[in-house]
Amino acid sequence: MKIIKSALLAAGAAASLGIVAAPAAAQQNTTGMPTVPIEVWALRDVVNAVQVSPDGKHVLVHVVESKEGEYLLKIYKTEDMSKPFRVLNADPMEIISASWVSDRYIFGSAWQQNRSKVNGPEQGTYDYAGYAYDLKTNKFRKIDGNFGIANRLPNDPENIIVETGTAIPDPSGVDPFEAFRPRSYYKVNLARGTRSLVLKGSEKYPTAQFDDEGNPRWTVGYDQGTKEAITYYRKPGEGSWTELMRYDQDKHENLYRTLSGFMGLAGFDPDNPSIGYVIDNRGEDKAALWEFNFDTGQFGEKLAGTDQADIMGIRTSSMPGDESLVGAIYPWDKYRTIWFDEGEKALYDALEAQIPNAHQVSITSRSNDGGTMIVSNRGPRDPGSYWLVRNGTMTKLGSRNPLIQPEQLADVEFIRYPSRDGKLTIPAYFMRPKGEGPYPLIVRHNGGPHVNGVVGYDEWDQMLVNAGYAVLRPQNRISTGWGQKHFDAGYGEHGLAMQDDKDDGALYLIEKGLVDPDRVAFMGWSYGGYSALVAASRSPNIYQCVIAGAAVSDPEKSYKQRRSPYSPKAIDDWAQRRGMIGINPINEVSKVNVPILMVHGDVDARVLYFHYEDYKDAIEKAGIQDAQFLTLKGADHFYTTLMFEHQQQFYTKMFDFLKNDCGPGGL
């Protein structure tokens, strides 16, 4: 393949976005401010998605063209990528997703922020609608409701299966009750815009996974009588569920199956509908990929596993219509693949050799004849790029942030260090700025805590490193992907041993001479915000200041609001141990001994705004002076709702705080 350097979708980005890109920095930055302007970091992802149609004739691009603008859907003809064939919007709503489901139809979702108040947990301020766009007639059909695609039904070009509540899939997977909330599944006719019920979730069978023919094949429910989680399966065409296995949800050692988010059915053998692929740990510490026989209800061969990390997913053939298993994915320095197919491996090796700064490469879509594909890359030196491969050539179409250059970014180093109790080795990701250490360090943690946090490209991390700070991202105990022992060690340890794991990472780098012990701060969002507030009241304290974003400041109050009647006892016990039992920051305010910056969106539906208001009141009543507060008006919890103005406001305040108010003399 030959790379053709092209700025097709990025052409004139600096001009159209009204921002002047800064030259790449070549020397150590000691100013405490990023050399790349804050307004560049504050952009929403410029190009958010790119896909080629199944016939290879058209490419859709989900793109925003101005700082405060909304996303547009552009459609290009692959034979002429110089100008769009169609430019579409959903005014007064905004298109937030788009996906080819046939040569003729695109399905996606749109949203509109219609309220200024959150009425309760997960009751956000946005309204959603699905849509089917007909390329032939150039018309939209609206499908009222909050839907995501459950199966594209590749052999039925006019229909798809959708599921309720998934227009924006939860990027964190941290809600312990989500798996037990029943969903409904509909077949949507794309030509007419109509929907018909396929399967209605119940308490016993809350969700389902479908095969490409539209058959429900797998579900996990909960038996209130026996207090067991029960896995069921179906063979194609069957109208009832068959029990596979059950495990006691009153036992916390079984929580990893439920909360890991990746154990269960991963796919099917396209040549034998009686064979499936299941990820499960089956009594071992690390989850592996297993063959499963639907006829006998028995597990077969272990297909892939490692002694260092869990298998977390699979790769299937990049050829449309071919669901052959080609690889198994596990976390390490990046998400790595155990390959089963040499041809597919050779294709990925060739793509990685051609794409500059290749890191996490994926084929996001491919034409039915295999001749045209869209390839994405994302990693430490690439915010996210999209490439068109056609007629033996590779063309760069655009970037999530075309104004940032590779030399302005930092590499990510995968490290491991011992926990202080000697029970674990903690994986972590370390980024250092240009120049020689010891560096000022910011320990970072975002949502979860039970998520896998492999770091490829993280905008906040890179922005901090660009400003001269080193960044550490620990995978503290309870993080998933590193085995059940690593997860179970975090049970009931919120604010305790889980916090020690983060502190120990900073101390490890100090011992290595890489970090200045008098210049260490903590920054986190969501659960990471909780951790920041815990860090603020620790003694002795290794941090000079903390930044707490969307912080769970009163987990006891949150638990009482969110407790679900569907939840098994072990999950309920686990939820209580997120702070109702253990460290609750709002009860620790009198112990705060370092400066705090607290940031929160006022329409946050995941971590409600009362967490910010109540903690602010407690700080003021305690007479603590070194605390600052910032409200992001109209912002919800997740990155997708942080608009340009939110990010610009937040980043400006953050760097001012770090430079001037973080401990004596600033960080």
Side-chain angles (χ1 to χ4, degrees), residues 467-506:
Y469 302 108
V471 172
L472 177 69
R473 293 284 295 275
Q475 295 283 283
N476 57 251
R477 66 192 68 203
I478 225 171
S479 301
T480 55
W482 308 103
Q484 180 151 359
K485 177 183 175 183
H486 192 89
F487 176 86
D488 284 348
Y491 186 79
E493 295 294 339
H494 292 73
L496 301 168
M498 287 166 60
Q499 200 77 19
D500 292 341
D501 294 341
K502 291 185 270 283
D503 295 0
D504 289 347

Coordinates of all heavy atoms in Angstrom, one line a residue, residues 467-506:
A467 N 1.8 20.9 29.2 CA 2.1 22.0 30.1 C 3.2 21.8 31.0 O 3.5 22.7 31.8 CB 0.8 22.3 30.9
G468 N 3.9 20.7 30.9 CA 5.1 20.4 31.7 C 5.0 19.5 32.8 O 5.9 19.3 33.6
Y469 N 3.8 18.9 33.0 CA 3.5 18.0 34.1 C 3.7 16.5 33.7 O 3.2 16.2 32.6 CB 2.1 18.2 34.7 CG 1.9 19.6 35.2 CD1 1.0 20.4 34.5 CD2 2.5 20.1 36.3 CE1 0.8 21.7 34.9 CE2 2.2 21.4 36.7 CZ 1.4 22.2 36.0 OH 1.1 23.5 36.4
A470 N 4.2 15.7 34.5 CA 4.2 14.2 34.3 C 2.8 13.7 34.7 O 2.2 14.4 35.6 CB 5.3 13.5 35.0
V471 N 2.3 12.6 34.2 CA 1.0 12.1 34.5 C 1.1 10.6 34.8 O 1.8 9.9 34.0 CB 0.0 12.3 33.4 CG1 -1.3 11.6 33.7 CG2 -0.3 13.8 33.2
L472 N 0.5 10.1 35.9 CA 0.4 8.7 36.2 C -1.0 8.3 36.2 O -1.8 8.9 36.9 CB 1.1 8.4 37.5 CG 1.0 7.0 38.0 CD1 1.9 6.1 37.2 CD2 1.4 6.9 39.5
R473 N -1.3 7.2 35.5 CA -2.7 6.6 35.5 C -2.6 5.2 36.1 O -2.5 4.2 35.4 CB -3.2 6.6 34.1 CG -3.5 7.9 33.5 CD -4.7 8.6 34.1 NE -5.9 7.9 33.7 CZ -6.5 8.0 32.5 NH1 -6.1 8.9 31.6 NH2 -7.6 7.3 32.2
P474 N -2.8 5.0 37.4 CA -2.8 3.7 38.0 C -4.0 2.8 37.7 O -5.1 3.4 37.6 CB -2.7 3.9 39.5 CG -2.4 5.4 39.6 CD -2.9 6.0 38.4
Q475 N -3.8 1.5 37.6 CA -4.9 0.6 37.5 C -5.1 -0.1 38.9 O -4.8 -1.2 39.1 CB -4.6 -0.5 36.5 CG -4.5 0.1 35.1 CD -5.9 0.4 34.5 OE1 -6.6 -0.5 34.0 NE2 -6.3 1.6 34.5
N476 N -5.6 0.7 39.8 CA -5.7 0.3 41.2 C -6.6 -1.0 41.3 O -7.3 -1.3 40.4 CB -6.1 1.4 42.2 CG -7.5 2.0 41.8 OD1 -7.5 3.1 41.3 ND2 -8.6 1.2 41.9
R477 N -6.4 -1.6 42.5 CA -7.3 -2.8 42.7 C -8.7 -2.5 42.5 O -9.2 -1.4 42.7 CB -7.0 -3.4 44.1 CG -7.5 -2.5 45.2 CD -6.9 -3.0 46.6 NE -5.5 -2.8 46.6 CZ -4.7 -3.5 47.4 NH1 -5.2 -4.4 48.3 NH2 -3.4 -3.3 47.4
I478 N -9.5 -3.5 42.0 CA -10.8 -3.4 41.5 C -10.9 -3.1 40.1 O -12.0 -3.2 39.5 CB -11.8 -2.6 42.4 CG1 -13.1 -3.3 42.7 CG2 -12.1 -1.2 41.7 CD1 -14.0 -2.6 43.7
S479 N -9.9 -2.5 39.4 CA -9.9 -2.3 38.0 C -10.1 -3.7 37.3 O -9.5 -4.7 37.7 CB -8.6 -1.7 37.5 OG -8.4 -0.4 38.2
T480 N -10.9 -3.7 36.3 CA -11.1 -4.9 35.6 C -10.1 -5.2 34.5 O -9.4 -4.3 34.0 CB -12.5 -4.9 35.0 OG1 -12.7 -3.8 34.1 CG2 -13.6 -4.9 36.0
G481 N -10.0 -6.4 34.0 CA -9.1 -6.8 33.0 C -7.8 -7.4 33.4 O -7.1 -8.0 32.7
W482 N -7.6 -7.4 34.8 CA -6.3 -7.8 35.3 C -6.5 -9.1 36.2 O -5.7 -9.5 37.0 CB -5.7 -6.7 36.1 CG -5.5 -5.5 35.3 CD1 -6.3 -4.3 35.4 CD2 -4.6 -5.2 34.2 NE1 -5.9 -3.4 34.5 CE2 -4.9 -3.9 33.7 CE3 -3.6 -6.0 33.6 CZ2 -4.2 -3.4 32.7 CZ3 -2.9 -5.4 32.6 CH2 -3.2 -4.1 32.1
G483 N -7.7 -9.7 36.1 CA -8.0 -10.9 36.8 C -8.8 -10.7 38.1 O -9.0 -9.6 38.6
Q484 N -9.4 -11.8 38.5 CA -10.4 -11.7 39.7 C -9.7 -11.3 41.0 O -10.2 -10.6 41.8 CB -11.1 -13.0 39.8 CG -12.1 -13.0 41.0 CD -13.3 -13.9 40.8 OE1 -13.4 -14.6 39.8 NE2 -14.2 -13.9 41.8
K485 N -8.4 -11.8 41.2 CA -7.7 -11.5 42.4 C -7.5 -10.0 42.5 O -7.7 -9.4 43.6 CB -6.4 -12.2 42.4 CG -5.5 -11.9 43.6 CD -4.1 -12.5 43.5 CE -3.2 -12.1 44.7 NZ -1.9 -12.7 44.6
H486 N -7.2 -9.3 41.4 CA -7.0 -7.9 41.4 C -8.3 -7.2 41.7 O -8.3 -6.2 42.4 CB -6.4 -7.5 40.0 CG -5.9 -6.1 39.9 ND1 -4.6 -5.8 40.2 CD2 -6.5 -4.9 39.6 CE1 -4.4 -4.5 40.0 NE2 -5.6 -3.9 39.7
F487 N -9.4 -7.7 41.1 CA -10.7 -7.1 41.3 C -11.1 -7.3 42.8 O -11.5 -6.3 43.4 CB -11.7 -7.7 40.4 CG -13.1 -7.2 40.6 CD1 -13.6 -6.1 40.0 CD2 -14.0 -8.0 41.4 CE1 -14.9 -5.6 40.2 CE2 -15.3 -7.5 41.6 CZ -15.7 -6.4 41.0
D488 N -11.1 -8.5 43.2 CA -11.6 -8.8 44.6 C -10.8 -8.1 45.7 O -11.4 -7.8 46.7 CB -11.5 -10.3 44.8 CG -12.6 -11.1 44.1 OD1 -13.6 -10.5 43.6 OD2 -12.5 -12.3 44.1
A489 N -9.6 -7.8 45.4 CA -8.8 -7.1 46.5 C -9.3 -5.7 46.7 O -9.0 -5.1 47.8 CB -7.3 -7.0 46.0
G490 N -10.2 -5.2 45.9 CA -10.8 -3.9 46.1 C -12.1 -3.9 46.8 O -12.7 -2.8 47.1
Y491 N -12.6 -5.1 47.1 CA -13.9 -5.1 47.8 C -13.9 -4.4 49.1 O -13.1 -4.8 50.0 CB -14.3 -6.6 48.0 CG -15.7 -6.8 48.5 CD1 -16.8 -6.7 47.6 CD2 -16.0 -7.1 49.8 CE1 -18.1 -6.8 48.1 CE2 -17.2 -7.2 50.3 CZ -18.3 -7.1 49.5 OH -19.6 -7.3 49.9
G492 N -14.7 -3.4 49.3 CA -14.8 -2.6 50.5 C -13.6 -1.7 50.8 O -13.4 -1.2 51.9
E493 N -12.8 -1.5 49.7 CA -11.5 -0.7 49.9 C -11.6 0.7 49.3 O -10.5 1.2 49.0 CB -10.3 -1.5 49.4 CG -10.0 -2.8 50.1 CD -9.6 -2.6 51.6 OE1 -9.1 -1.5 51.9 OE2 -9.7 -3.5 52.4
H494 N -12.7 1.2 49.0 CA -12.9 2.5 48.4 C -12.3 3.5 49.5 O -12.7 3.5 50.6 CB -14.3 2.9 48.1 CG -14.9 2.1 47.0 ND1 -15.2 0.7 47.1 CD2 -15.2 2.4 45.7 CE1 -15.7 0.3 45.9 NE2 -15.7 1.3 45.1
G495 N -11.4 4.3 49.0 CA -10.8 5.3 49.9 C -9.7 4.7 50.8 O -9.1 5.5 51.6
L496 N -9.5 3.4 50.8 CA -8.6 2.8 51.7 C -7.4 2.2 50.8 O -6.6 2.9 50.3 CB -9.3 1.7 52.5 CG -10.4 2.3 53.4 CD1 -11.3 1.2 54.0 CD2 -9.9 3.2 54.5
A497 N -7.4 0.8 50.7 CA -6.3 0.2 49.9 C -6.3 0.7 48.5 O -5.3 0.8 47.8 CB -6.4 -1.3 50.0
M498 N -7.5 0.9 47.9 CA -7.6 1.4 46.5 C -6.9 2.8 46.4 O -6.3 3.1 45.4 CB -9.0 1.5 46.1 CG -9.7 0.2 45.8 SD -11.5 0.3 45.7 CE -11.7 1.4 44.3
Q499 N -7.0 3.6 47.5 CA -6.3 4.9 47.5 C -4.8 4.7 47.7 O -4.0 5.4 47.1 CB -6.9 5.7 48.6 CG -6.7 7.2 48.4 CD -7.6 7.9 47.4 OE1 -8.6 7.3 47.1 NE2 -7.2 9.0 46.9
D500 N -4.5 3.7 48.5 CA -3.0 3.4 48.7 C -2.4 3.1 47.4 O -1.2 3.5 47.1 CB -2.9 2.2 49.7 CG -3.3 2.6 51.1 OD1 -3.4 3.8 51.4 OD2 -3.6 1.6 51.9
D501 N -3.1 2.3 46.6 CA -2.5 1.9 45.3 C -2.1 3.1 44.4 O -1.1 3.1 43.8 CB -3.5 1.0 44.5 CG -3.7 -0.3 45.2 OD1 -2.9 -0.7 46.0 OD2 -4.7 -1.0 44.8
K502 N -2.9 4.1 44.5 CA -2.6 5.3 43.7 C -1.5 6.1 44.3 O -0.5 6.5 43.6 CB -3.9 6.2 43.6 CG -5.0 5.6 42.7 CD -6.2 6.5 42.6 CE -7.2 6.3 43.6 NZ -8.1 5.2 43.4
D503 N -1.5 6.2 45.6 CA -0.4 6.9 46.3 C 0.9 6.2 46.1 O 2.0 6.8 45.9 CB -0.7 7.0 47.8 CG -1.9 7.9 48.1 OD1 -2.5 8.4 47.2 OD2 -2.2 8.0 49.3
D504 N 0.9 4.8 46.1 CA 2.1 4.0 45.9 C 2.7 4.2 44.6 O 3.9 4.1 44.4 CB 1.8 2.6 46.2 CG 1.5 2.3 47.6 OD1 1.7 3.1 48.5 OD2 0.9 1.2 47.9
G505 N 1.9 4.5 43.6 CA 2.4 4.8 42.2 C 3.3 6.0 42.2 O 4.4 6.1 41.7
A506 N 2.8 7.1 42.9 CA 3.5 8.3 43.0 C 4.8 8.1 43.8 O 5.9 8.6 43.4 CB 2.7 9.4 43.7

